[in-house]
Amino acid sequence: MIEVNNLVKRYGLFTAVNGISFTAEPGQVTGFLGPNGAGKTTTMRVLTGFSPPTAGHATVAGYDVFENSMDVRKNVGYLPENVPLYRDMSAIGYLTYVGEIRGVKQRKSRAMDALRRVGLGKRAKNTIRTLSKGMRQRVGLAAALMHDPQVLILDEPTIGLDPIQVLELRDLVKDLGREHTVLFSTHILSEAEQICDRVVIINQGEVIAHGEPVALREELERGQRIFVRTEEAPTTILSTVQAVEGVAEAQIERDAVIAIPNDIQQDPRAAIARALVENNFNVLELRPAANNLEEIFLELTRGSTEEDDIDDELAGNIESSGVDDDNEENEVVAESSVSETPDKAESEV
């Protein structure tokens, strides 16, 4: 189980995570959603013991991430967005090496079991550099499973994969969620709906929504701006939409009209549809303007100040410079985990 209470992480004057709280239950996949620079990876690094919190508390598998960092690491399997792998090693050799680092007994047997579990049993002796990106992601996931952790933390594991690889990895994550506490980060709401039992949405370092995926989408869509498109030009239908009861304002955006409800608890789409049909307009689309996570966040953060935009840019710079999810830092972490080289583990296979 993961419990986070008022967690804060600052880098100098910049606050990357600002007092977030949430829980991830055993036997469930909890989605951790947000746009780039929201603070997802920063939070995950705190939860895995890579980075200490500035304030607040978090426990993973019953251990405090600050006071019992080593115990947390023993009970967590972490798959970063950019998987740190020794690409000249075979898959089985790399996992045997990881098992040696973690003090796993019967390392070769456990490595083969992990590879079979992620569907790479027949690729055990392949050199990692010859594997596709999707297969390398699976090797990283197998490494996270080597010590049979209670908790799995997966940072955008499907990013950069082709559609078939994405579907296969989603099925694997759902299967793992039955036996582990899984925290799964993504910026794709539809993906969370398919995989996760619950989701937590974070933006600018703060939790802005949480709950079951379908209910959360409905809640986020309720009261949002309405996208209206007909066969007729938007200038032709603008006045009709503006006159609908329940519409506070309507404006033209590209080839459509955007209607803004005057009550966020009321959905004016039925009234808009009636008005358009009564005036003999041919409706092509009538939906919330936000129908995926990226659009929802544009809606939720619409009207933010210039200062907010600067903060977002700073958050992105921090992440890309290695504070959050830079591949180079992950490689350094992998290579600095032990003082010896992996040659011995490779030669044992």
Side-chain angles (χ1 to χ4, degrees):
M1 183 173 182
I2 298 172
E3 293 183 284
V4 178
N5 294 296
N6 298 316
L7 190 69
V8 176
K9 180 62 180 179
R10 297 190 185 95
Y11 298 101
L13 298 177
F14 177 73
T15 301
V17 177
N18 188 20
I20 67 172
S21 299
F22 67 89
T23 60
E25 300 288 342
Q28 291 187 351
V29 179
T30 300
F32 198 42
L33 288 76
N36 293 332
K40 302 189 302 296
T41 300
T42 297
T43 302
M44 287 184 157
R45 291 195 169 188
V46 170
L47 295 178
T48 53
F50 275 78
S51 179
T54 304
H57 299 278
T59 59
V60 177
Y63 297 100
D64 186 277
V65 297
F66 186 75
E67 296 180 356
N68 310 108
S69 178
M70 292 306 297
D71 290 311
V72 168
R73 299 181 199 197
K74 291 176 182 177
N75 288 278
V76 168
Y78 179 39
L79 179 67
E81 180 181 341
N82 299 296
V83 186
L85 300 171
Y86 291 106
R87 300 194 178 195
D88 290 328
M89 298 180 73
S90 65
I92 185 72
Y94 174 72
L95 292 187
T96 302
Y97 174 56
V98 170
E100 183 178 355
I101 294 172
R102 287 193 170 273
V104 174
K105 297 179 180 180
Q106 299 179 328
R107 293 187 287 273
K108 186 175 179 181
S109 173
R110 291 286 293 275
M112 278 305 304
D113 288 343
L115 286 172
R116 292 191 187 101
R117 191 170 188 184
V118 300
L120 290 179
K122 295 182 179 179
R123 301 276 187 165
K125 295 186 178 180
N126 285 48
T127 303
I128 291 175
R129 71 168 60 255
T130 67
L131 300 177
S132 68
K133 181 170 182 178
M135 291 181 180
R136 293 198 298 271
Q137 290 284 88
R138 292 188 185 203
V139 172
L141 184 54
L145 292 169
M146 272 295 291
H147 56 300
D148 193 25
Q150 295 183 42
V151 176
L152 286 172
I153 296 182
L154 314 178
D155 192 357
E156 303 207 26
T158 61
I159 194 167
L161 304 186
D162 66 42
I164 294 177
Q165 293 171 335
V166 167
L167 291 174
E168 292 173 345
L169 194 58
R170 286 176 181 173
D171 289 340
L172 178 58
V173 170
K174 284 192 290 186
D175 183 56
L176 291 171
R178 300 187 184 101
E179 303 173 15
H180 305 266
T181 300
V182 179
L183 184 64
F184 175 92
S185 85
T186 180
H187 60 275
I188 305 170
L189 186 57
S190 61
E191 182 169 74
E193 287 178 335
Q194 296 174 47
I195 298 176
C196 303
D197 301 289
R198 295 185 63 80
V199 295
V200 177
I201 294 186
I202 183 174
N203 187 37
Q204 296 183 359
E206 298 181 354
V207 173
I208 59 172
H210 59 87
E212 296 181 1
V214 174
L216 188 57
R217 178 191 280 275
E218 292 174 353
E219 179 182 344
L220 290 173
E221 289 180 347
R222 188 183 304 121
Q224 299 298 320
R225 305 186 318 152
I226 306 300
F227 180 94
V228 184
R229 189 164 71 90
T230 66
E231 288 185 351
E232 295 76 22
T235 52
T236 306
I237 67 170
L238 180 62
S239 59
T240 300
V241 175
Q242 285 177 324
V244 172
E245 183 177 356
V247 174
E249 182 184 349
Q251 58 196 33
I252 295 174
E253 289 190 10
R254 297 177 183 167
D255 62 341
V257 169
I258 302 297
I260 302 173
N262 55 23
D263 184 349
I264 63 173
Q265 299 300 323
Q266 300 296 323
D267 187 344
R269 281 180 291 177
I272 293 173
R274 282 194 299 270
L276 292 172
V277 171
E278 289 172 358
N279 285 275
N280 298 316
F281 295 124
N282 297 308
V283 180
L284 299 178
E285 286 187 83
L286 183 60
R287 60 172 176 81
N291 66 349
N292 58 47
L293 183 60
E294 291 80 2
E295 291 181 352
I296 286 171
F297 267 96
L298 285 174
E299 296 300 307
L300 291 176
T301 60
R302 185 174 297 278
S304 61
T305 64
E306 184 176 345
E307 181 179 352
D308 290 332
D309 295 334
I310 293 173
D311 285 346
D312 286 341
E313 182 179 353
L314 179 55
N317 290 340
I318 286 178
E319 291 193 1
S320 64
S321 64
V323 171
D324 237 326
D325 50 13
D326 178 67
N327 186 46
E328 181 178 348
E329 179 180 323
N330 284 329
E331 297 286 354
V332 171
V333 169
E335 294 184 15
S336 62
S337 297
V338 292
S339 58
E340 62 180 347
T341 64
D343 297 339
K344 179 181 176 182
E346 181 77 10
S347 64
E348 288 181 357
V349 180

